[in-house]
């Protein structure tokens, strides 16, 4: 066990965890931030996507010891009132079915738009293809990203 | 809202409300979850007019959503049916997940068979209409006017002649004390103002902001984390061995073998589980338990063959489990040989054997598909808190009432001491019809004497599956020298069940028709998948019809419509399981909307298919272009007849999802076995359709209908496979018979 001081959603948080513990489980088990989801544990589905210094990152394979002073943002910290342009677009297009993968989809999309407010179809496609949606809401994800991009 | 308000909540006894008596017994623990927005002003007092709704003194309405939510959006669409008849403004409505209550919510709180909306269509509307009538009566009593003169709209009662009006909240208390009317009139379709309009997901904001909704998110004070280790291979069982090493791993509280399903326990159909004995590892944090689990080496031994009777909805079904390791190569060989000793004729019209003998041409084609894993994004999990004399379980399950019964039987507790609470599910697709993971959680909690959350890793989820069976079908058609269709023969089977629905189209359209089916037992656990069996047989049948149309020199839609005409004007046989006008209706609609018959853009190839299942009718036209020897799905045009569409945008989303789901699995997915061990264990080996491979565009058209709603979650999937296969043929000149087409 070791103690880590993490910068999460604009706050300093102290956690005791084994250094190998993936950030996903630190968030879910230690910090009660369960919006970041467990899907595969091998960075193949994207359900666990968070931002590490604004870069979309799979938290299920990221050891807590690798974070250092980097800033972590989770779905809970993306906005205070679920009013980030991507979240608003997701609601407007009523994207979710089961909803389980959507926090990861939103975090991936938000990081993309932060980097490039007007991404091409090809950029959207290559970025979003790392996030699985088993319900098959891909058409709506595309529509929501376009809506969010237009609002930026 | 405060717990104080719960304590002060009224209880009203209500009987004979609808659907054979709904008794009002509300669960207080269920909580009040504002779905509209957190800024609504909550009432001081709620009044329950029946089990489906309560009305606040300020006019706010809470509607109960009885069925499990797996992403089919019933938590929005089902309460819409109550709101319609209650005559309330949807913006004043909050929705709560109802507790499990078999006496109250009919016919059953289950997510399966695309049944939720259609099965509750009468009950939910009656609940709304009954409450509205009680509110009207309360106002009539107070205003001293005839009840028939009172009008309702948007949560307001009014009486024109006297000029009186008041909100529902004003009369909620008085209404709650009135007798429940035995008969109420329901609205005509033309009077609907909510049903047929698109309403957004009531949990949308919570989902996009990452709030705890799912079973995996559920926590309680003092809760331990549990994981399982299973034998790893089907046909094997765990042998108890020394596991002391794992107990000393960091954070591990205990490890022990559990007999989840002892042999003497009578299993229900929902208790499919290949591994009745497991090793449980219990610890303080998920990561620590995962680490300990990786170090464990379990010992296994071969199972013995068994044959048991299982009660499946009142019918005794023989469940044969052979011993021995199974392999995919062996499965394929066996399916190609069929199973002559286990083959039976399930439908025969005319004299097909004789007609085949004199045919000028016989076309014969065979189709196959592999086992599939459900791969819900939320892996199997369940919370259990088992105490001396009671058990509370919370988590994602499509069959909560069945789980409750099994827990009661397994723990030896009376049914009323077992409570199963429903959480939102991160996908179902049939996997969570089988609640063995709930039983596992309960047995582990009982042993630990502590609340426990059981979590499957993705590897556990994929290798301890209740898979979609592997299927195989051979179609034959007899043509005369003028290329007229004389006879049709389908012989289909699978491991371990047949996919055939012998009385579906084109049965009834062909004078000489033969349908046979066979099955081959397995020790691999299998069960329902989205659109069980149809998810294979529709693709096979519709591909064959396409090939047949080509051989007969006919347009594929025209060919199907001619068969429809025959089934309508001179139906063959008695048990035809479809309404032919609705079948033809979606074909005509898709022909019109897809631009069928007009030239497609250069490089675009088109395929069509249609199918009836889960009481609904769907036809698709799929447009593809080939790039690097792989299809890019440019567009899917969908025509659906599911009767009245309660929530059109949500239904569209569901249909789009079913299309993507079906195309994805047909293109890419397969579970294969080597000596009983699943070869795919996670999403690196098991391929699911991704954003880049999904249809670029799906256009969904609903047939305008006043028929009561029929199924929606499943019917759009199966024909998408046929339409894709037929488009692939047009694009490549090659027929695709074996799924996955690009595995």
């Amino acid at each position: 066990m070791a103690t880590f001081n993490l910068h999460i959603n604009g706050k300093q948080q102290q956690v005791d965890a084994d250094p190998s513990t993936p950030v996903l489980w630190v968030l879910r088990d230690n910090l009660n931030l369960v919006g970041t989801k467990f899907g595969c544990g091998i960075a193949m589905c994207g359900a666990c996507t968070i931002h590490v210094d604004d870069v979309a990152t799979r938290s299920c394979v990221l050891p807590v010891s690798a974070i250092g002073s980097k800033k972590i943002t989770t779905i809970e910290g993306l906005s205070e009132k679920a009013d980030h342009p991507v979240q608003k677009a997701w609601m407007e297009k009523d994207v979710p079915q089961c909803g389980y993968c959507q926090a990861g989809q939103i975090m991936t999309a938000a990081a993309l738009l932060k980097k490039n407010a007007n991404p091409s179809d090809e950029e959207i496609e290559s970025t979003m293809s790392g996030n699985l949606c088993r319900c098959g809401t891909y058409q709506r994800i595309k529509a929501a990203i376009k809506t969010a991009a237009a609002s930026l | 809202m405060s717990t104080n308000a719960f304590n002060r909540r009224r209880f009203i006894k209500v009987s004979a409300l609808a659907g054979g008596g709904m008794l009002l017994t509300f669960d207080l623990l269920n909580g009040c979850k504002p779905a509209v927005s957190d800024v609504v002003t909550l009432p001081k007092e709620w009044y329950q007019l029946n089990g489906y709704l309560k009305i606040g003194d300020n006019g706010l309405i809470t509607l109960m959503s009885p069925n499990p939510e797996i992403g089919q959006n019933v938590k929005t669409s089902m309460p819409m049916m109550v709101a319609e008849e209650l005559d309330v403004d949807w913006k004043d409505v909050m929705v709560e997940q109802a507790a499990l209550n078999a006496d109250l919510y009919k016919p059953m709180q289950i997510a399966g068979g695309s049944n939720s909306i259609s099965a509750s269509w009468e009950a939910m509307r009656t609940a709304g209409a009954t409450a509205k009538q009680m509110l009207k009566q309360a106002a009539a009593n107070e205003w001293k006017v005839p009840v028939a003169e009172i009008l309702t709209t948007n949560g307001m009662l009014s009486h024109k002649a006297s000029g009186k009006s008041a909100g529902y909240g004003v009369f909620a208390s008085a209404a709650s004390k009135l007798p429940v009317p035995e008969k109420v009139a329901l609205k005509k379709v033309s009077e609907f103002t909510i049903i047929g309009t698109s309403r957004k997901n009531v949990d949308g904001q919570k989902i996009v902001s990452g709030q705890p909704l799912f079973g995996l998110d559920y926590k309680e004070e003092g809760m331990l984390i549990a994981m399982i280790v299973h034998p790893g291979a089907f046909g094997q069982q765990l042998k108890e061995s020394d596991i002391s090493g794992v107990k000393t791993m960091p954070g591990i509280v205990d490890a022990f073998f559990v007999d989840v399903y002892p042999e003497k326990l009578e299993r229900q159909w929902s208790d499919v589980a290949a591994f009745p004995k497991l090793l449980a590892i219990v610890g303080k944090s998920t990561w620590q338990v995962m680490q300990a689990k990786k170090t464990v080496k379990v010992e296994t031994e071969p199972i013995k063959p068994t044959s048991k009777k299982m009660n499946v909805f009142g019918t005794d079904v023989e469940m044969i489990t052979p011993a021995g390791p199974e392999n995919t190569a062996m499965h394929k060989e066996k399916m190609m040989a069929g199973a002559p000793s286990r083959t039976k004729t399930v439908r025969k019209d005319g004299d097909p054997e004789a007609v085949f003998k004199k045919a000028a041409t016989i076309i014969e084609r065979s189709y196959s598909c592999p086992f599939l894993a459900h791969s819900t994004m939320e892996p199997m999990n369940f919370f259990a808190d088992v105490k001396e004399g009671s058990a509370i379980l919370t988590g994602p399950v499509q069959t909560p009432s069945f789980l409750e019964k099994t827990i009661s039987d397994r723990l030896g507790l009376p049914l009323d001491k077992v409570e199963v609470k429903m959480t939102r599910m991160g996908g179902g697709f049939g996997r969570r019809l089988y609640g063995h993971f709930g039983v596992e959680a309960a047995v582990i909690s009982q042993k630990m004497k502590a609340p426990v959350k059981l979590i499957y890793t993705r590897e556990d989820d994929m290798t301890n599956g209740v898979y979609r069976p592997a299927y195989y079908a051979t179609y034959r058609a007899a043509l005369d020298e003028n290329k007229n269709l004389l006879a049709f023969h389908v012989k289909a089977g699978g491991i371990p069940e047949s996919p055939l629905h012998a009385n579906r189209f084109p049965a009834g359209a062909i004078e000489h028709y033969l349908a046979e089916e066979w099955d081959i037992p397995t020790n691999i656990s299998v069960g329902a998948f989205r659109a069980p069996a149809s998810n294979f047989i529709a693709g096979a049948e519709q591909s064959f019809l396409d090939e047949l149309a080509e051989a007969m020199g006919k347009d594929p839609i025209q060919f199907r419509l001619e068969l429809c005409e025959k089934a309508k004007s001179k139906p063959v046989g008695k048990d035809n399981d479809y309404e032919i006008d609705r079948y033809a209706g979606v074909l005509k609609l898709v022909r019109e909307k897809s631009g069928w018959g007009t030239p497609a853009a250069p490089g675009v190839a088109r395929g069509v298919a249609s199918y009836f299942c889960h009481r609904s009718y769907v036809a698709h036209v799929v447009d593809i272009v080939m790039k690097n020897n792989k299809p890019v799905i440019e567009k899917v045009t969908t025509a659906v007849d599911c009767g009245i569409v309660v929530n059109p945008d949500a239904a569209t989303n569901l249909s789009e999802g079913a299309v993507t789901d079906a195309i994805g699995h047909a293109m890419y997915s397969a579970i294969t076995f080597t000596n009983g061990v699943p070869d795919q264990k996670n999403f690196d080996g098991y391929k699911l359709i991704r954003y880049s491979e999904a249809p670029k565009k799906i256009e969904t058209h609903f047939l305008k209908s006043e028929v009561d709603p029929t199924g929606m979650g499943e019917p759009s999937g199966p024909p998408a496979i046929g339409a894709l296969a037929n488009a692939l043929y047009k694009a490549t000149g090659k027929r695709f018979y074996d799924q996955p087409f690009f595995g």
Side-chain angles (χ1 to χ4, degrees):
Chain A
M1 285 295 212
T3 301
F4 298 93
N5 283 301
L6 303 173
H7 192 281
I8 298 175
N9 297 337
K11 279 195 296 191
Q12 282 297 132
Q13 302 260 24
Q14 192 174 312
V15 292
D16 292 320
D18 184 280
S20 72
T21 310
V23 172
L24 169 68
W25 296 111
V26 170
L27 294 171
R28 293 187 59 88
D29 281 4
N30 299 57
L31 297 171
N32 239 357
L33 293 168
V34 295
T36 306
K37 299 300 189 221
F38 169 56
C40 67
I42 58 168
M44 286 299 293
C45 78
C48 67
T49 305
I50 58 168
H51 296 172
V52 180
D53 281 350
D54 293 336
V55 178
T57 306
R58 310 291 186 232
S59 66
C60 72
V61 292
L62 177 69
V64 63
S65 57
I67 294 297
S69 61
K70 293 194 182 83
K71 289 183 178 135
I72 290 175
T73 307
T74 72
I75 185 74
E76 292 92 343
L78 190 63
S79 67
E80 269 185 38
K81 292 179 180 164
D83 56 359
H84 184 282
V86 173
Q87 288 169 312
K88 279 160 70 179
W90 241 251
M91 284 189 276
E92 189 189 319
K93 295 293 171 192
D94 219 10
V95 175
Q97 286 184 36
C98 86
Y100 192 81
C101 75
Q102 298 296 350
Q105 305 277 4
I106 289 168
M107 294 307 280
T108 303
L112 170 67
L113 293 181
K114 178 134 195 172
K115 203 171 63 182
N116 178 358
N118 191 19
S120 66
D121 281 4
E122 290 70 27
E123 279 170 283
I124 297 174
E125 186 172 299
S126 67
T127 307
M128 298 311 296
S129 289
N131 287 69
L132 286 174
C133 173
R134 178 63 180 82
C135 299
T137 64
Y138 298 122
Q139 286 78 30
R140 279 169 194 250
I141 288 172
K142 182 195 232 169
I145 292 174
K146 299 240 170 200
T147 300
S151 76
L152 289 173
Chain B
M1 96 189 275
S2 71
T3 47
N4 194 30
F6 281 124
N7 298 341
R8 290 188 286 116
R9 189 188 293 168
R10 297 174 166 272
F11 283 84
I12 308 103
K13 286 206 168 154
V14 178
S15 62
L17 183 67
M22 296 179 207
L23 290 172
L24 195 149
T25 46
F26 243 83
D27 172 29
L28 290 181
L29 297 168
N30 199 43
C32 177
K33 301 167 196 134
V36 182
S37 149
D38 287 334
V39 295
V40 293
T41 310
L42 290 168
K44 292 192 188 74
E45 195 90 53
W46 286 105
Y47 298 95
Q48 295 176 212
L49 272 69
N50 60 55
Y52 287 90
L53 62 100
K54 21 185 201 186
I55 298 177
D57 53 17
N58 64 350
L60 205 63
I61 312 288
T62 294
L63 301 180
M64 307 309 292
S65 180
N67 283 26
E69 174 64 66
I70 55 176
Q72 80 282 48
N73 209 17
V74 287
K75 198 172 170 187
T76 306
S77 305
M78 288 177 77
M80 282 173 68
M81 303 192 281
V82 181
E84 176 67 66
E85 293 290 346
L86 186 58
D87 267 346
V88 289
D89 193 332
W90 186 248
K91 76 172 167 44
D92 296 330
V93 169
M94 305 194 303
V95 177
E96 267 181 47
Q97 176 70 57
L100 187 57
N101 188 330
D103 296 327
L104 185 54
Y105 300 113
K106 305 285 181 187
M108 189 182 276
Q109 291 168 278
I110 185 169
S114 294
N115 243 321
S116 292
I117 296 280
S118 52
S120 63
W121 175 242
E122 288 289 325
M124 304 239 14
R125 289 183 305 140
T126 304
T130 304
K132 179 174 70 182
Q133 188 60 29
M134 290 160 78
L135 287 159
K136 283 164 106 171
Q137 188 63 56
N141 294 350
E142 172 75 20
W143 295 340
K144 303 198 171 23
V145 299
V147 68
E149 291 178 8
I150 292 184
L151 299 176
T152 54
T153 178
N154 282 339
M156 292 293 292
L157 296 143
S158 63
H159 182 251
K160 203 175 172 192
S162 66
K164 289 189 162 134
S165 72
Y168 281 4
V170 174
F171 286 105
S173 171
S176 69
K177 297 179 186 100
L178 292 175
V180 176
E182 282 191 17
K183 258 198 139 163
V184 287
L186 297 176
K187 288 183 183 177
K188 294 192 201 84
V189 174
S190 60
E191 294 170 313
F192 288 161
T193 59
I194 294 176
I195 290 172
T197 63
S198 293
R199 306 289 164 158
K200 291 196 191 306
N201 191 328
V202 294
D203 277 338
Q205 186 175 325
K206 291 182 177 181
I207 291 168
V208 303
S209 55
Q211 292 180 47
L213 288 169
F214 300 93
L216 204 73
D217 303 339
Y218 187 80
K219 287 186 179 188
E220 277 195 20
E221 197 61 35
M223 180 182 93
L224 296 166
I225 301 292
M227 292 196 180
I228 54 129
V229 180
H230 67 73
F234 290 91
Q236 294 284 311
Q237 60 192 5
L238 284 189
K239 225 164 81 176
E240 296 207 6
S241 55
D242 178 23
I243 44 153
S244 53
V246 73
K247 295 188 191 184
T248 60
M249 294 281 292
I252 299 306
V253 179
D254 204 355
F256 45 87
F257 290 91
V258 281
D259 283 310
V260 183
Y261 287 103
E263 218 155 289
K264 62 177 191 313
L265 182 75
E266 199 184 322
R267 294 201 205 181
Q268 307 182 82
W269 69 271
S270 57
D271 288 314
V272 174
F275 307 123
K277 189 191 197 80
L278 298 164
L279 170 63
I281 304 173
V282 185
K284 288 175 187 156
S285 77
T286 313
W287 184 244
Q288 286 172 317
V289 181
M290 275 183 177
Q291 296 309 100
K293 180 171 145 65
K294 282 182 200 157
T295 68
V296 176
K297 293 265 181 295
V298 287
E299 290 177 28
T300 65
E301 61 190 2
I303 59 165
K304 291 187 176 65
T306 57
S307 175
K308 283 179 189 164
K309 291 242 185 317
M310 187 184 268
N311 187 312
V312 181
F313 292 111
T315 308
D316 270 343
V317 177
E318 192 187 18
M319 309 294 286
I320 298 169
T321 308
E326 297 185 19
N327 291 289
T328 293
M330 167 190 114
H331 286 151
K332 278 192 181 152
E333 253 174 56
K334 279 191 174 179
M335 289 203 297
M336 284 174 77
S341 66
R342 295 179 65 84
T343 301
K344 58 184 183 209
T345 298
V346 280
R347 175 164 172 152
K348 187 171 168 179
D349 299 315
D351 192 356
E353 291 95 340
V355 176
F356 267 98
K357 273 185 196 147
K358 61 173 196 193
T361 313
I362 293 175
I363 301 171
E364 178 176 325
R365 301 288 183 263
S366 293
Y367 304 81
S368 75
C369 74
F371 291 91
L372 291 176
H374 295 78
S375 311
T376 60
M377 291 309 297
E378 179 192 19
M380 298 305 116
N381 68 88
F382 231 81
F383 169 86
D385 189 4
V386 176
K387 296 198 163 76
E388 193 82 22
S390 73
I392 296 176
L393 284 98
T394 303
V397 66
Q398 294 176 244
T399 48
S401 56
F402 288 92
L403 178 60
E404 208 167 70
K405 164 90 168 58
T406 299
I407 298 288
S408 160
D409 291 349
R410 175 61 183 81
L411 301 181
L413 289 170
L415 206 51
D416 63 355
K417 296 292 175 196
V418 179
E419 191 182 355
V420 172
K421 298 185 194 182
M422 292 175 262
T423 59
R424 187 178 188 86
M425 278 173 259
F429 315 109
R431 176 62 180 88
R432 291 188 229 267
L433 293 168
Y434 311 99
H436 58 91
F437 40 84
V439 188
E440 291 158 16
V443 174
I444 296 168
S445 170
Q446 185 185 41
K447 173 83 178 6
M448 293 305 297
K449 297 187 169 57
V452 161
K453 167 75 124 336
L454 172 75
I455 300 175
Y456 274 28
T457 62
R458 176 57 59 192
E459 289 79 5
D460 294 330
D461 191 279
M462 200 171 284
T463 60
N464 187 8
V466 182
Y467 306 102
R468 194 281 299 272
Y471 294 124
Y472 191 89
T474 300
Y475 285 87
R476 294 165 74 225
L479 306 182
D480 68 14
E481 55 281 354
N482 298 319
K483 295 179 180 172
N484 294 307
L485 176 60
L486 301 176
F488 192 90
H489 175 205
V490 53
K491 187 173 177 181
I495 302 174
E497 58 162 35
S498 159
L500 198 56
H501 296 277
N503 294 319
R504 286 186 186 164
F505 189 81
I510 302 158
E511 204 181 333
H512 303 282
Y513 175 94
L514 176 64
E516 298 174 280
E517 63 182 19
W518 48 265
D519 57 68
I520 296 170
T522 179
N523 56 41
I524 293 161
S525 40
V526 300
F529 200 78
R530 194 175 195 166
S534 303
N535 53 39
F536 164 70
I537 203 74
E541 171 204 291
Q542 292 293 311
S543 296
F544 187 68
L545 289 185
D546 203 67
E547 210 161 334
L548 201 48
E550 188 185 35
M552 294 166 71
K554 289 176 188 282
D555 171 80
I557 293 184
Q558 192 52 38
F559 172 54
R560 286 169 176 81
L561 287 172
E562 284 171 17
L563 287 173
C564 288
E565 194 44 48
K566 281 183 187 155
K568 184 177 172 152
S569 61
K570 210 179 159 196
V572 181
K574 285 197 183 85
D575 302 316
N576 298 328
D577 179 18
Y578 52 80
E579 293 170 55
I580 200 62
D581 286 340
R582 295 180 72 186
Y583 197 110
V586 291
L587 275 166
K588 288 174 188 163
L589 184 61
V590 87
R591 181 169 64 181
E592 175 201 327
K593 299 291 183 185
S594 66
W596 187 264
T598 60
V604 173
R606 275 186 182 152
V608 65
S610 48
Y611 201 65
F612 159 74
C613 66
H614 297 85
R615 307 168 307 288
S616 288
Y617 301 79
V618 178
H620 301 291
V621 167
V622 169
D623 292 2
I624 64 169
V625 293
M626 295 303 286
K627 264 187 198 157
N628 305 322
N629 294 322
K630 272 201 160 181
V632 175
I633 298 151
E634 291 289 338
K635 188 178 169 192
V636 179
T637 308
T638 300
V640 183
D641 180 352
C642 61
I644 294 163
V645 188
V646 173
N647 191 355
D649 190 53
T652 300
N653 197 353
L654 207 50
S655 180
E656 291 166 352
V659 167
T660 305
D661 177 337
I663 286 178
H665 284 101
M667 289 273 290
Y668 303 116
S669 311
I671 291 279
T672 57
F673 297 89
T674 305
N675 292 325
V677 180
D679 297 318
Q680 298 74 23
K681 294 178 171 59
N682 203 325
F683 298 136
D684 49 352
Y686 188 76
K687 182 157 167 42
L688 288 172
I689 192 166
R690 289 181 180 271
Y691 183 105
S692 56
E693 297 142 345
K696 302 284 172 235
K697 192 175 174 192
I698 301 177
E699 219 179 76
T700 309
H701 303 274
F702 291 98
L703 211 87
K704 209 167 159 44
S705 171
E706 294 203 356
V707 175
D708 288 355
T710 48
M712 189 60 239
E714 292 163 286
S716 293
I721 300 169
L724 169 69
N726 298 337
L728 280 168
Y729 168 67
K730 286 285 180 198
T732 65
K734 199 180 120 205
R735 291 279 175 187
F736 287 71
Y737 299 105
D738 299 300
Q739 295 179 33
F741 299 148
F742 292 85

